Amino acid sequence: MPSDVSSKVAMAGSATADDIMVFRLNSWRLLVKNYTDYFEALASAEKAAKKALEKAMSDFNVPMSGDHCFASFDRIGVQQLSGQLKNVHQMFSAQHSSIIQGIESDTLMQLDKLRIEIKDSLKVYTDHLGPIYKRLRKQAKEVEECKEKLVHAVESYKKKHRASDAWLAQQKVRRELVQQAEIENALFKAVQAERERLHRWEATVAERLRDIVASVVVRERDSAQASLGSINGCLGYLDQFDPAAETRAFEQHFGPVLSAPMGLSGHSALADYDYMHRDSEATTVLLEGPLEREKGMIKKFQPTYVVLTTQGYLHCYSEQRDLLETSPDVSFHLADCSVSLPEDRSVFVIAMNDRKLGRSKFSFRATSASYVDHWVNAISSVSTKPQALENHAIGGTLRNSEAARAAAEASAGAPSLLPTAAGITAGELATRNANEDALAQRQQSPSSGAAETPLEGEQLYAAREYASEAAQEPSASQGTINGHKEEKPLPAYGTPLADAGTAPATAVTSPETAPAQPPTVSFHLAPSAGI
C-alpha cells in the first residue's frame, strides 16, 4: 500500500480530503481528465500527422504516476487499458479525418459527461457523510467537556464542597455518550451505504470508459485497414475486460479498513465507554423509585421518578426513561431538611430551607406506608438536621428479597430496557439485586428476623439492613433489645450490619407491615414539637 494512501485510511468516512473514498473519487476524476486530454491531443495529432500523434501518446499519463487507488499496470484494470490503446496508435503514421470528427463529436463529449458524473458522485458522498462527521466531532468535544465537569464535581466532593452533584454530572456524561454512540452508528451505516453505492457505480463507470475507448478503436479500425490485426487484438482484450476487476483490487487492499471505518463496529453503546470516576463513591445512588409529587396550581399528586444520591441530592424526573434523556424536573439538596408524616400514612412532607428555593415544603405520596418508611429513613440518613417522628420505625431492609428475585425471574425472558440511576437497565439491576439477596440470605443467621413484606414499585439496591443516623443520637432516641439497653449504636444508614462489627439483627418493619410476633429489635423516636 503506498505510504500517502495508507495515511488516508484512518480517516475513512470523514468526507474530508484525507478520506480514502474521497481520494478514490478524485483519482477517478483525474483518470477521466487524463483520458480527455489524451483524445483532445489525439484529434490534433490526426490533423498534424504522425509527429503530433506521437506527442499525444507521450502526454497520455496512464498508467498514472505517483500514488493512486487503481490496479497496477501489469494487472487487468483501467490503467492496463492505456497500454492496449497505445499499442494500436503506435501502428498509425497518420490519422483520417473521420477519426478526428468522431473524437471531437462523440468521445470528448462522453468523457466530459463521465467527469461531471464523477464530480456529482463525490458531492453526494461528501454531502451524506460530511454533516454526520462534523456532528461526531462536535459531540466528542461536548463529551470531553462533560467529563471535565465530572472531574471537577468529584474533586469538590472530596474537598467536602457541595456546589454540584457528581452523580448529576455523570448523568450528563452518560447522555452525551449515548448521543455519541448514535452518531457513530449513523456514520458507520452511512459509510457502508456509500460504499455499496460506489461499488455499483464504479462498475458502470469502468464499463462506460471501456466503451468510449472501444468506440475510438473501432473508428480507427475502419480507417486503418493496414493495422487491422493489431486493432483486432486490442478489441479482443476489451471484450474480455472485467469492469469489476478494479473494484476487487480496491477491496483487496482497503476492504478490511472500510468494514470497520475508524474502528467502528456499528454497535457502540453506553457500556463500551470508560471515563474517570464512572464508579466513584460520589456518584453512588442511595435510593430510587417511583413516587407521586404534589405540584401544580391545584396541588395535585402526579407521578414522578425520584433518585436520592449519597451526596444528599433528591432529583425528580417525569418518568424513569428520562434518566438518560433529560435533566431532572427539579433537584433538592437535603442537607438541611426535616421530614414530617401527616395523618395520611402514604404521604411524607419534606420541609427545607434552601438558599435558592427559600423555605419550602414538598409532599410525596407512595403506594404504602412501608414504602414511605424506607424513603423517610433514607432521607434522614443524608440530612444533617435531627429528625423526630412520632411512632416511626427506624431501620428495616430497603428492599424485599423475594420481590427482587421475582423481578429478576420476570425480566429473564424479556429484560426491561428502562435505565436506572445506577447506569444499568432495570432488568440488569433486578438480576444483580436478586444475586446479592441470595448471598445475604446465606450469610444471615437462621434465627434472624421475621418475614419481609414485598414493597410495591421499588427499584432499589442490595437487600441489607440499614439504620438511620438519627437513631444514633442519644438525646433523640433510645434502642432496646429484649427489654435491655443496647450499648453499641446502630451503624449509619447504608452500612450492612454484618460489616459494622456485629451479627445481623432481625429486620425492623413499620407498624403496617409488622408480623403477629413482635420484632426483636425496634427503635422509636420521641414525639416532635413540630417541624
Side-chain angles (χ1 to χ4, degrees):
M1 183 187 301
S3 58
D4 290 348
V5 176
S6 62
S7 64
K8 302 178 185 299
V9 169
M11 296 301 293
S14 65
T16 63
D18 294 329
D19 186 346
I20 186 65
M21 296 302 292
V22 173
F23 186 70
R24 167 78 165 182
L25 290 170
N26 284 327
S27 297
W28 266 111
R29 187 168 58 178
L30 180 60
L31 176 76
V32 173
K33 184 180 183 301
N34 279 315
Y35 270 97
T36 302
D37 294 340
Y38 170 75
F39 284 118
E40 289 176 347
L42 182 60
S44 299
E46 289 289 305
K47 297 176 182 178
K50 182 178 181 178
K51 184 177 181 179
L53 175 61
E54 292 176 350
K55 184 179 184 304
M57 288 189 291
S58 65
D59 292 339
F60 187 26
N61 295 323
V62 179
M64 297 168 59
S65 59
D67 294 332
H68 50 77
C69 296
F70 301 104
S72 60
F73 182 71
D74 58 348
R75 299 177 59 184
I76 296 178
V78 292
Q79 293 204 111
Q80 199 178 67
L81 281 174
S82 64
Q84 296 293 325
L85 191 60
K86 288 180 179 179
N87 290 337
V88 172
H89 290 110
Q90 286 174 353
M91 303 297 296
F92 292 114
S93 61
Q95 295 294 325
H96 301 283
S97 59
S98 61
I99 295 179
I100 297 174
Q101 181 180 3
I103 292 176
E104 292 178 346
S105 62
D106 180 61
T107 305
L108 296 179
M109 185 181 299
Q110 293 298 325
L111 287 172
D112 188 61
K113 290 181 179 179
L114 192 58
R115 190 165 60 175
I116 294 175
E117 182 177 328
I118 294 173
K119 182 178 179 181
D120 293 341
S121 183
L122 175 59
K123 186 176 186 302
V124 169
Y125 180 85
T126 55
D127 288 349
H128 188 185
L129 295 180
I132 302 177
Y133 179 68
K134 289 180 180 178
R135 286 171 51 206
L136 180 59
R137 292 186 61 186
K138 181 179 179 181
Q139 184 63 28
K141 182 178 180 181
E142 293 179 0
V143 168
E144 291 304 318
E145 293 176 355
C146 291
K147 289 179 180 179
E148 292 180 4
K149 292 180 180 179
L150 175 58
V151 172
H152 293 324
V154 173
E155 291 299 325
S156 297
Y157 168 77
K158 292 178 179 179
K159 296 177 181 178
K160 307 301 182 180
H161 295 168
R162 297 295 186 267
S164 61
D165 191 1
W167 177 87
L168 199 57
Q170 179 178 244
Q171 289 299 97
K172 179 64 175 176
V173 172
R174 289 173 174 171
R175 289 198 301 271
E176 296 298 332
L177 286 176
V178 169
Q179 294 182 22
Q180 179 174 332
E182 293 174 354
I183 298 174
E184 287 179 353
N185 295 338
L187 180 61
F188 176 86
K189 293 179 181 178
V191 170
Q192 302 310 318
E194 285 297 317
R195 176 184 173 190
E196 183 178 353
R197 179 185 71 83
L198 291 175
H199 285 179
R200 295 192 302 266
W201 173 81
E202 281 189 345
T204 62
V205 171
E207 184 177 7
R208 288 168 60 188
L209 184 60
R210 180 203 65 184
D211 293 340
I212 291 173
V213 173
S215 66
V216 174
V217 175
V218 168
R219 284 192 296 268
E220 291 181 339
R221 183 191 62 183
D222 295 338
S223 61
Q225 294 297 328
S227 57
L228 185 59
S230 297
I231 293 175
N232 288 334
C234 179
L235 290 175
Y237 172 84
L238 295 174
D239 288 339
Q240 298 177 5
F241 180 82
D242 184 2
E246 278 291 344
T247 299
R248 288 197 298 269
F250 184 77
E251 277 293 304
Q252 182 179 358
H253 286 284
F254 306 112
V257 175
L258 295 175
S259 297
M262 291 188 285
L264 302 179
S265 64
H267 302 288
S268 298
L270 176 62
D272 300 334
Y273 302 99
D274 192 13
Y275 50 90
M276 188 177 294
H277 304 307
R278 186 178 73 170
D279 299 318
S280 171
E281 178 185 354
T283 63
T284 304
V285 175
L286 182 60
L287 186 59
E288 67 174 296
L291 292 171
E292 290 182 343
R293 183 166 67 92
E294 188 178 54
K295 57 183 178 178
M297 296 296 295
I298 60 176
K299 298 298 181 181
K300 181 180 179 182
F301 280 101
Q302 299 181 23
T304 184
Y305 193 83
V306 184
V307 177
L308 177 61
T309 70
T310 54
Q311 289 188 248
Y313 280 88
L314 189 72
H315 306 289
C316 299
Y317 292 84
S318 296
E319 54 184 2
Q320 185 176 355
R321 67 180 66 255
D322 291 342
L323 282 171
L324 288 178
E325 296 179 1
T326 64
S327 298
D329 297 338
V330 64
S331 297
F332 312 121
H333 191 208
L334 305 179
D336 185 15
C337 76
S338 58
V339 184
S340 61
L341 297 175
E343 294 182 359
D344 185 354
R345 286 289 285 111
S346 64
V347 176
F348 64 94
V349 179
I350 301 176
M352 56 191 302
N353 187 11
D354 189 88
R355 289 182 297 177
K356 296 181 179 179
L357 301 177
R359 296 182 62 85
S360 306
K361 288 187 177 182
F362 301 92
S363 298
F364 293 87
R365 185 167 65 186
T367 54
S368 67
S370 300
Y371 202 11
V372 169
D373 289 342
H374 294 307
W375 277 102
V376 170
N377 291 343
I379 292 171
S380 300
S381 72
V382 299
S383 173
T384 59
K385 186 174 183 179
Q387 307 295 318
L389 303 176
E390 183 175 4
N391 298 325
H392 179 64
I394 300 298
T397 58
L398 284 179
R399 187 189 66 253
N400 177 265
S401 57
E402 294 182 2
R405 283 193 294 272
E409 294 174 359
S411 64
S416 171
L417 298 180
L418 286 176
T420 67
I424 57 179
T425 64
E428 294 170 339
L429 181 57
T431 302
R432 189 183 76 180
N433 289 342
N435 294 335
E436 292 177 350
D437 291 340
L439 178 61
Q441 188 175 16
R442 289 195 299 268
Q443 295 175 346
Q444 189 177 15
S445 172
S447 61
S448 63
E452 298 170 340
T453 303
L455 304 178
E456 300 179 4
E458 286 187 309
Q459 185 73 37
L460 308 175
Y461 299 94
R464 303 169 179 145
E465 299 290 344
Y466 288 83
S468 171
E469 291 180 356
Q472 300 182 40
E473 297 292 337
S475 60
S477 62
Q478 177 65 49
T480 60
I481 299 181
N482 296 329
H484 298 284
K485 182 177 179 180
E486 170 64 2
E487 297 296 337
K488 295 182 180 180
L490 287 176
Y493 190 88
T495 304
L497 292 182
D499 297 338
T502 180
T506 303
V508 180
T509 60
S510 65
E512 286 76 9
T513 60
Q517 180 68 23
T520 305
V521 182
S522 65
F523 290 86
H524 298 275
L525 296 179
S528 172
I531 297 177

